[in-house]
């Protein structure tokens, strides 16, 4: 591919912009600048903040921060606090979905299977229940989704065999969709050996043969999302490095490179980065667009908009320099410059 490519505005349906509570890693402004620089004009932000978004008070605080700082459009996920289960009903109309951390909450013994059943029974929607789950917990979530007629979205599928389990449930009528990340598709445990903590995230990278299987089963995947989870270089080189890697600025060039290599079609990529996330999370139709110059290059180690300032993909082949991004008929980004003021971004949920 060469020349210029114009695509509809892309959606990253899984990011952690760290606000409130961890703005030394990223904040709403730097995170949404990274989104625009990566060709995304809409992001969906996870609730594991400090404090976590598990009640209306935190929602209002986070919404106030985003409404004055966001450069691109955004949706927020609600989180679940077993001590305030009734908050979910109040939060539901204002968020794109409910994010459940199945295994960490299980491990803390705070979330019993009765409580989990009640969450699936009582979540009013309209957004889906999105889960962070290890392979062993996926069947239970599928069963609960089927029992309570909930829409379930499995975030960053940890193993290629999980795709078969999810597909079987889907064939049997369960409303389930799923997502994989660029790092699970393009890095392996061999990269992790080289990258150390900079190659560690949840779920962990896969062995090369399992990465091959993930590609073979890509037809079963609905969304590609970055799970942009920035941590500082000091944290990653410290005694207890947190899991997570940034990804907003590398997803599109890496995936366009994969298209160029014939690993998936451009139409399919558009489905994974635009149509499916818009459909699954009920996002507005008028999406703007992204203009890309189809130049081939090697991803640099630095020079990104994300505050964390590094990428696990340095040295990888990439295709496409993001030239311009529009949003709601406004040019918001052009040639490495953000052209709108913080606060231009809107919440995609109008309530
Ligand atoms: C996430 C983060 O840093 O917020 N990290 C990650 O590796 N995906 C948290 C998490 O989902 O465990
Ligand atoms: Zn995440």
């Amino acid at each position: 591919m060469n020349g210029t490519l114009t695509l509809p505005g892309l959606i990253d349906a899984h990011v952690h912009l760290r606000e409130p509570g961890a703005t030394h890693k990223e904040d709403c402004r730097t995170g949404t600048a990274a989104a625009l620089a990566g060709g995304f004009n809409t992001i969906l932000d996870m609730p594991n903040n400090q404090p976590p978004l598990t009640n209306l008070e935190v929602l209002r605080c986070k919404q106030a921060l985003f409404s004055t700082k966001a450069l691109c459009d955004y949706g927020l996920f609600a989180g679940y606090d077993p001590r305030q289960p009734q908050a979910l009903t109040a939060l539901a109309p204002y968020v794109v979905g409910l994010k459940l951390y199945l295994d960490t909450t299980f491990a803390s013994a705070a979330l019993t299977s009765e409580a989990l059943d009640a969450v699936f029974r009582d979540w009013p929607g309209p957004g889906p229940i999105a889960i962070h789950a290890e392979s062993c917990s996926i069947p239970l979530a599928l069963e609960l989704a089927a029992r309570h007629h909930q829409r379930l979205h499995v975030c960053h599928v940890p193993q290629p065999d999980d795709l078969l389990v999810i597909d079987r449930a889907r064939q049997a009528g369960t409303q389930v969709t799923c997502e994989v990340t660029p790092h699970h598709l393009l890095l392996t445990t061999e990269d992790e050996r080289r990258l150390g903590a900079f190659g560690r995230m949840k779920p962990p990278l896969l062995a090369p043969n399992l990465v091959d299987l993930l590609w073979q089963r890509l037809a079963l995947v609905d969304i590609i999302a970055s799970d942009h989870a920035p941590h500082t270089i000091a944290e990653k080189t410290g005694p207890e490095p947190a899991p997570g890697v940034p990804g907003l600025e590398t997803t599109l060039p890496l995936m366009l490179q994969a298209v160029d290599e014939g690993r998936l079609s451009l139409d399919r990529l558009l489905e994974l980065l635009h149509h499916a996330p818009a459909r699954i999370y009920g996002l507005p139709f008028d999406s703007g667009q992204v203009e890309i110059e189809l130049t081939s290059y090697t991803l640099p180690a630095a020079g990104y908009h994300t505050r964390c300032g590094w990428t696990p993909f340095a040295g990888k082949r990439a295709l496409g320099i993001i030239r311009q991004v529009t949003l709601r008929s406004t040019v918001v980004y052009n040639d490495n410059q953000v052209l709108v003021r913080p606060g231009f971004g809107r919440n995609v949920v109008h309530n």
Side-chain angles (χ1 to χ4, degrees), residues 14 16 46 99 101 156 227:
H14 186 150
H16 300 262
M46 290 296 163
K99 176 72 182 294
Y101 287 81
H156 41 50
D227 192 13

Side-chain angles (χ1 to χ4, degrees), residues 185-186 211-212 215 218 257-265:
L185 287 168
L186 297 166
V211 173
D212 288 346
W215 275 101
L218 195 64
Q257 174 70 26
V259 169
D260 203 48
E261 290 169 8
R263 307 185 83 177
L264 78 169
S265 71

Side-chain angles (χ1 to χ4, degrees), residues 45-315:
D45 193 60
M46 290 296 163
N48 62 328
N49 302 112
Q50 293 155 9
L53 200 173
T54 51
N55 59 48
L56 269 184
E57 194 190 337
V58 180
L59 174 89
R60 286 198 192 102
C61 152
K62 187 165 176 176
Q63 170 59 31
L65 290 166
F66 272 59
S67 69
T68 53
K69 295 178 95 167
L71 300 164
C72 71
D73 283 358
Y74 57 89
L76 306 177
F77 280 90
Y80 172 66
D81 177 354
R83 292 162 304 181
Q84 353 179 20
Q86 71 295 342
L88 292 184
T89 310
L91 287 170
Y94 305 106
V95 295
V96 289
L98 168 64
K99 176 72 182 294
L100 290 180
Y101 287 81
L102 241 54
D103 296 290
T104 42
T105 37
F106 264 138
S108 74
L111 190 54
T112 61
S113 53
E114 288 78 25
L116 192 60
D117 187 86
V119 172
F120 274 78
R121 186 191 63 212
D122 296 340
W123 171 246
I129 298 177
I131 58 165
H132 179 133
E134 318 229 329
S135 300
C136 58
S137 301
I138 292 175
L140 172 62
L142 288 166
E143 190 190 310
L144 290 173
R147 184 184 309 159
H148 297 295
H149 308 286
Q150 286 287 359
R151 283 199 299 134
L152 178 71
H153 179 73
V154 182
C155 296
H156 41 50
V157 169
Q159 294 285 336
D161 279 357
D162 300 328
L163 291 173
L164 304 181
V165 173
I166 291 165
D167 189 51
R168 268 198 298 278
R170 181 160 25 199
Q171 300 294 336
T174 306
Q175 297 181 76
V176 58
T177 52
C178 66
E179 151 195 317
V180 294
T181 71
H183 46 267
H184 291 106
L185 287 168
L186 297 166
L187 298 173
T188 71
T189 42
E190 282 169 16
D191 293 292
E192 187 187 340
R193 226 170 290 148
R194 171 176 61 84
L195 291 164
F198 294 95
R200 250 167 254 141
M201 74 295 291
K202 287 182 182 173
L205 293 173
L206 297 167
N209 61 317
L210 295 175
V211 173
D212 288 346
L213 261 185
L214 206 56
W215 275 101
Q216 284 168 33
R217 296 175 184 164
L218 195 64
L220 304 178
V221 173
D222 298 279
I223 290 179
I224 287 182
S226 70
D227 192 13
H228 179 82
H231 298 284
T232 65
I233 292 173
E235 287 165 338
K236 281 292 196 182
T237 50
E240 280 179 46
V245 295
L248 270 165
E249 289 163 87
T250 46
T251 295
L252 184 55
L254 286 167
M255 293 312 298
L256 285 173
Q257 174 70 26
V259 169
D260 203 48
E261 290 169 8
R263 307 185 83 177
L264 78 169
S265 71
L266 187 58
D267 277 356
R268 181 76 183 117
L269 184 60
L270 209 52
E271 172 69 18
L272 292 159
L273 292 177
H274 172 77
H275 296 295
R279 197 169 53 239
I280 290 164
Y281 292 106
L283 306 185
F285 183 69
D286 172 26
S287 63
Q289 60 185 39
V290 53
E291 214 175 277
I292 305 138
E293 178 193 316
L294 290 170
T295 302
S296 181
Y297 58 102
T298 301
L299 285 171
Y304 296 95
H305 288 73
T306 174
R307 178 162 288 151
C308 75
W310 60 275
T311 172
F313 297 107

